[in-house]
Amino acid sequence: RGGQLVVTSTAGEPNSEFEEARANVLKSATEVERSGEFGSHVRAVSGKVVLHDWAVRDRARASETKVVLEANPFSGVSAEDIEEKRDDPTSTWDHFLRFACNIATRVEGQAITADVWDAMCESGLELSAQSWKIGWLDLGWEIDTTAMGILAWESFERRLVTGVKVLEPPDRGQVDEGEIVEALVYRQREFEPVGWVYDPNAGGQQMVQLLEKGEHPRQNGVEFSFIEHSQDNAPMGLAALRLHEAVRKQWIRHDGHEGLRRHVTNAVRKGLGGEKWKYDRPPDAMGRRRKMFPIDALTGLLMGHSVAVAENAVKQDRSVYFL
């Protein structure tokens, strides 16, 4: 009676049960106190629960020793300890963010880490009017999101991603087809892609047929062409290898869209037998948790990028990338 339970933990993975619990305490808190030069310490009281949360509040400052040190209140941690952990060649940046900065980060099985993806961000990204462009579309209706965007092929070593749009289904409802068409119409007018890559098995066949015939009531005279790309293991495995090569060589450049970033960093590698693999949700993203780990924008990008490689590799005598 009247006992107390003390639990200590570093940050978990994004959208994990621990991170949900931490967020719920902060959201429902009736008392919140912040302290520290960089606001590292937050004391939140929610009912009988008291949370003391030390963390780097600004992810962009996680490389600054003094900021990270304030987020580690134990007197046995020194600035030298922080720098040694940050510069450890056997560790990763995501591991440092999670265990030294108390920032929720996926560190196990992540296919494309946040630091790798962020390194390819190009502020003020502009597409050349002469560049070859293709649209990509991954349709989701009730649980998954619908995502679309544009990939511009300026050269084999420069492939630009922009125009990303993510439409989430409302609670107990579906993504509105009219919103999808309006978003497609806007991007078709703005970027004039040669076509839109999509999976016909994901639904939307009637919408696509009407758009191609120019008969959809919401397309306002804009012409469309669609290219089919299956999401079966074989084509998605090939798409994964092509995108992996482009990411590894940093041939991809993007405008920093937060929705796309989230979908990319949610994905893990799923083995397909032998050395083959594809991008997929984490193994525990099932049931209600599926909505917490969307990868639909990445799926759309995978399909669009794979078609772009197939179209442009031949022209530039890079047929080796057909694999």
Side-chain angles (χ1 to χ4, degrees):
R1 293 180 180 178
Q4 294 182 329
L5 177 66
V6 177
V7 179
T8 61
S9 177
T10 56
E13 295 198 346
N15 299 311
S16 64
E17 293 184 5
F18 172 77
E19 287 302 324
E20 285 185 10
R22 180 159 69 152
N24 286 336
V25 172
L26 291 169
K27 183 178 179 180
S28 61
T30 54
E31 299 178 32
V32 178
E33 300 174 10
R34 302 178 185 275
S35 59
E37 180 182 356
F38 308 107
S40 300
H41 180 223
V42 173
R43 179 182 181 273
V45 180
S46 177
K48 295 183 178 180
V49 177
V50 179
L51 172 69
H52 287 275
D53 190 55
W54 280 271
V56 174
R57 303 299 166 187
D58 184 354
R59 191 187 188 103
R61 303 194 69 177
S63 61
E64 299 180 33
T65 301
K66 61 181 180 180
V67 177
V68 180
L69 186 60
E70 186 180 278
N72 289 267
F74 175 50
S75 60
V77 177
S78 66
E80 291 74 18
D81 293 330
I82 296 295
E83 292 169 354
E84 181 179 356
K85 187 173 184 65
R86 183 190 62 208
D87 300 332
D88 184 353
T90 66
S91 187
T92 66
W93 180 242
D94 284 330
H95 186 277
F96 178 77
L97 289 176
R98 180 169 167 183
F99 294 104
C101 304
N102 203 24
I103 295 175
T105 312
R106 181 172 296 280
V107 296
E108 295 183 1
Q110 191 172 24
I112 303 175
T113 60
D115 56 320
V116 169
W117 184 252
D118 292 344
M120 296 184 291
C121 180
E122 189 172 301
S123 60
L125 185 71
E126 293 185 4
L127 310 187
S128 167
Q130 292 75 36
S131 62
W132 182 93
K133 306 176 187 71
I134 196 165
W136 46 266
L137 170 68
D138 185 54
L139 293 166
W141 301 97
E142 295 182 3
I143 298 177
D144 295 344
T145 63
T146 286
M148 66 186 73
I150 300 294
L151 186 139
W153 189 284
E154 296 205 335
S155 70
F156 203 85
E157 291 78 23
R158 185 168 172 78
R159 310 165 191 185
L160 311 182
V161 182
T162 190
V164 178
K165 178 76 172 180
V166 177
L167 297 169
E168 298 187 2
D171 292 338
R172 299 180 182 179
Q174 292 188 348
V175 174
D176 181 60
E177 181 179 305
E179 289 186 47
I180 297 174
V181 173
E182 288 180 2
L184 288 171
V185 167
Y186 173 81
R187 283 155 181 78
Q188 184 65 39
R189 284 175 170 167
E190 179 75 13
F191 300 103
E192 299 182 339
V194 297
W196 288 86
V197 183
Y198 86 113
D199 178 11
N201 295 318
Q205 297 95 327
Q206 183 177 1
M207 177 190 75
V208 167
Q209 291 173 2
L210 290 174
L211 288 171
E212 287 190 314
K213 293 178 181 179
E215 298 176 355
H216 197 286
R218 305 286 286 272
Q219 73 184 96
N220 299 320
V222 177
E223 296 183 358
F224 283 92
S225 175
F226 286 86
I227 303 165
E228 295 185 357
H229 187 293
S230 171
Q231 292 187 27
D232 289 343
N233 286 341
M236 292 307 288
L238 176 58
L241 291 175
R242 286 173 168 168
L243 186 66
H244 172 70
E245 179 75 359
V247 169
R248 186 173 68 85
K249 298 288 185 63
Q250 294 200 332
W251 292 337
I252 298 289
R253 286 290 182 268
H254 60 85
D255 58 12
H257 189 277
E258 281 297 322
L260 176 58
R261 182 184 189 273
R262 180 188 175 198
H263 288 213
V264 167
T265 55
N266 275 339
V268 300
R269 289 191 184 194
K270 180 179 180 180
L272 298 175
E275 296 183 357
K276 296 181 179 179
W277 58 276
K278 69 176 183 178
Y279 293 97
D280 204 352
R281 285 177 173 81
D284 61 345
M286 297 180 291
R288 71 177 184 88
R289 292 178 60 78
R290 181 180 176 88
K291 295 184 68 173
M292 300 178 184
F293 296 91
I295 63 167
D296 311 295
L298 173 61
T299 299
L301 175 58
L302 280 162
M303 297 190 296
H305 177 263
S306 191
V307 171
V309 170
E311 290 290 325
N312 291 277
V314 171
K315 298 176 184 177
Q316 300 182 22
D317 194 24
R318 300 292 188 96
S319 57
V320 65
Y321 287 94
F322 279 93
L323 301 174

